[in-house]
Amino acid sequence: MIGFDYGTSNCAVATMQNGQPKMLTLGEHGKFMSSSLYAPSRDVIPNWLHKNINEPYKSTFANSRGFLISKGQEALEDLRYDGIPEHLSFGKSALERYLDDPSEGYYIKSPKSLLGTSGLLPQQIVFFEHIVAAMMAHVKHHVEEELQHDVTKVVIGRPINFQGRNSEQSNKQAIEVLTNAARHVGYQDIEFQYEPVAAGFEYEASLKQETRVLVVDIGGGTTDCSMLLMGPELMNKADRSAALLGHSGLRVGGNDFDIQLALKGVMPNLGINGKLKSGKPMPVNSYFKAVAINDVNAQTDFYSDANGRFLEQLQRDSEQPEILGRLLKAYNEKLSYQLVNSAEQAKILLTESNSNNIDLGYLTENLSQDVDRNLFLEASENQLNSIAKLMSEAVNQGGAEPDVIFVTGGTAKSPVINDFIKSKFGNKPVVVGDHFGSVTAGLSRWAETIFK
């Protein structure tokens, strides 16, 4: 039995050994695999999945996905004819293959953030199911290789809400995708646990007395808050419903901070603050859609033929057509992920330094942009205010002030974000957990509790 954090930014797995969670090594990825996938063609993903799962799941998958496997076979033959590697890549190697030639292949980062999207067509839902299953199969292979036995029982982490709008339907859709994907790859007993509750379970192991804890989990795709009653006497109880005092969650996380920093720190170099020859300000809708990598519909609109024609006309109408040429390059070469990745790397560097330089040489030779923490704070204002509301909502549901605030999630590593959280609670103690491992460890604790 394992706890599986299928995260927006990273995937991680832990199992209980000698009463303590042990993070497992996922092959070449180490303990954390970046949540990204690259395929030379999106059509070959079902074929890779069929090849890389075991019986009887292989036969079941073939029976339900025969048409898509046949379609993928044609794509595989084209790849072989052109001498293009047909394998899928995951984690950092997926990003490397994408950056090697952004205009070719299919790359997706953080598919979890898209699973609850409203308005997805049935074939789109099946497509995401295959992406998730491929990533799960890759992780499961490494887990079973390390443990030297099959793993069939899993607790998977989930946010409070996958999306802000139509949250009930969104959550149902996302959970169904995750459940179906897990079944495809051979998990038989599948349970879910809220990610902030799981993080709370890990913090609870250090408590000596009953404590009201506000868990603030700022992940890659969502921020989730839970008010929990925790302590030694509550540990190992399978029914914790009376101790779960309040929950709140919203799709605002690391991806959103990256996107906002891209808009503030990168997009001025593509003309977002420019003017048209008429003197009117530059229309900004295409700039927002260009970096909205967590919005399927926005990305579809940005890369549509109609938007390509619109951008060409916008370049002709611009006071600085050479600058608009960079936006057209982003369109033609499918650079959305590269633009946001530039902002993400800058955000990470701002954790250790007050300022740094973003290399934008892939747009124009020798182009770069300086960014600092003040710019990041300005870009993040709306996201930080949303997080403050979530914290207040969870506390209000709990009906009492927390004794301690436990902060986790990779995005919370940022001093800008951390200082903001501390400023909201005055003299309340703020404990910072393992930014990347608390949820995974807590999921493994819960797996032992409910499956033993």
Side-chain angles (χ1 to χ4, degrees):
M1 63 190 73
I2 60 170
F4 185 5
D5 183 9
Y6 180 72
T8 305
S9 296
N10 295 287
C11 295
V13 175
T15 188
M16 294 296 287
Q17 294 187 2
N18 300 318
Q20 294 296 323
K22 179 189 176 184
M23 300 288 291
L24 300 181
T25 300
L26 306 178
E28 70 276 13
H29 307 289
K31 290 181 171 58
F32 301 96
M33 184 187 87
S34 175
S35 298
S36 55
L37 173 149
Y38 178 91
S41 164
R42 57 186 289 163
D43 290 335
V44 306
I45 296 174
N47 299 69
W48 183 95
L49 188 56
H50 178 241
K51 181 180 178 181
N52 285 274
I53 54 180
N54 298 323
E55 294 289 3
Y57 314 104
K58 183 189 293 286
S59 298
T60 303
F61 185 78
N63 291 335
S64 63
R65 301 290 191 265
F67 171 75
L68 294 174
I69 293 173
S70 297
K71 181 180 178 183
Q73 193 60 43
E74 297 176 9
L76 282 172
E77 291 172 3
D78 290 340
L79 292 171
R80 291 165 187 159
Y81 180 80
D82 294 332
I84 298 173
E86 60 190 61
H87 66 280
L88 271 58
S89 294
F90 304 87
K92 290 183 179 179
S93 60
L95 177 60
E96 289 168 358
R97 285 182 74 182
Y98 162 72
L99 292 178
D100 185 56
D101 189 351
S103 64
E104 295 293 333
Y106 177 80
Y107 174 76
I108 185 167
K109 177 188 176 184
S110 308
K112 180 182 175 183
S113 65
L114 306 173
L115 302 185
T117 301
S118 298
L120 291 181
L121 300 173
Q123 59 266 35
Q124 290 176 304
I125 293 175
V126 168
F127 178 58
F128 283 125
E129 186 181 298
H130 293 164
I131 290 172
V132 175
M135 296 174 71
M136 285 186 172
H138 181 71
V139 169
K140 192 170 189 282
H141 166 76
H142 287 302
V143 167
E144 294 178 340
E145 191 172 57
E146 178 169 349
L147 295 178
Q148 291 296 297
H149 60 74
D150 292 344
V151 177
T152 60
K153 299 179 180 181
V154 61
V155 174
I156 302 172
R158 56 153 295 181
I160 306 297
N161 291 308
F162 285 84
Q163 299 277 341
R165 292 172 294 179
N166 303 318
S167 58
E168 184 176 344
Q169 179 60 34
S170 168
N171 292 339
K172 181 176 182 291
Q173 175 179 288
I175 292 297
E176 286 180 353
V177 170
L178 290 169
T179 302
N180 290 339
R183 286 179 177 149
H184 283 319
V185 304
Y187 290 115
Q188 297 172 15
D189 297 311
I190 305 161
E191 298 289 340
F192 292 88
Q193 180 56 270
Y194 287 143
E195 288 156 358
V197 174
F201 290 152
E202 177 61 8
Y203 176 61
E204 184 178 46
S206 68
L207 294 176
K208 305 299 182 185
Q209 61 185 21
E210 189 171 277
T211 306
R212 288 189 303 273
V213 183
L214 172 63
V215 180
V216 182
D217 178 16
I218 309 177
T222 60
T223 293
D224 299 289
C225 300
S226 289
M227 269 289 288
L228 309 170
L229 191 61
M230 316 207 84
E233 295 182 359
L234 295 169
M235 286 183 64
N236 303 320
K237 286 190 175 182
D239 183 3
R240 298 290 297 264
S241 54
L244 308 182
L245 308 178
H247 304 290
S248 62
L250 190 65
R251 201 191 76 169
V252 51
N255 283 346
D256 300 281
F257 287 98
D258 300 337
I259 288 168
Q260 294 305 314
L261 185 56
L263 287 168
K264 282 284 187 179
V266 176
M267 284 313 205
N269 294 278
L270 286 75
I272 191 172
N273 298 326
K275 290 185 177 182
L276 303 176
K277 292 175 183 177
S278 64
K280 293 182 179 179
M282 184 65 60
V284 298
N285 199 29
S286 289
Y287 290 93
F288 284 91
K289 291 179 179 179
V291 294
I293 60 171
N294 55 1
D295 186 328
V296 175
N297 297 323
Q299 287 279 279
T300 300
D301 288 346
F302 180 72
Y303 287 109
S304 67
D305 292 340
N307 192 52
R309 294 189 292 271
F310 172 75
L311 295 180
E312 290 173 351
Q313 184 60 53
L314 204 61
Q315 184 183 29
R316 289 191 289 269
D317 293 340
S318 172
E319 284 186 344
Q320 297 178 297
E322 71 282 359
I323 304 294
L324 263 291
R326 298 170 187 166
L327 183 59
L328 260 173
K329 182 173 184 176
Y331 168 85
N332 290 321
E333 298 185 11
K334 297 182 172 61
L335 297 179
S336 289
Y337 282 103
Q338 194 159 2
L339 292 167
V340 178
N341 182 64
S342 294
E344 180 185 13
Q345 296 310 309
K347 179 192 72 177
I348 292 170
L349 291 173
L350 288 174
T351 300
E352 303 296 334
S353 63
N354 189 59
S355 63
N356 65 73
N357 185 269
I358 302 177
D359 181 5
L360 300 174
Y362 56 86
L363 291 173
T364 301
E365 189 175 0
N366 297 323
L367 181 66
S368 65
Q369 176 66 54
D370 291 328
V371 295
D372 59 25
R373 287 180 182 174
N374 287 332
L375 178 67
F376 180 46
L377 178 61
E378 179 185 344
S380 305
E381 181 179 1
N382 289 338
Q383 286 65 41
L384 291 173
N385 288 336
S386 294
I387 290 172
K389 290 179 182 178
L390 289 174
M391 293 188 294
S392 296
E393 183 180 337
V395 171
N396 291 338
Q397 285 184 31
E401 287 292 308
D403 299 312
V404 62
I405 295 88
F406 180 68
V407 181
T408 188
T411 304
K413 286 187 71 175
S414 166
V416 172
I417 297 172
N418 222 318
D419 290 346
F420 176 84
I421 293 173
K422 291 177 181 177
S423 73
K424 296 300 174 182
F425 286 96
N427 60 353
K428 296 288 182 183
V430 176
V431 176
V432 179
D434 182 338
H435 288 295
F436 297 104
S438 294
V439 170
T440 316
L443 290 171
S444 69
R445 290 183 183 275
W446 189 240
E448 183 177 64
T449 299
I450 63 173
F451 289 136
K452 65 183 179 182

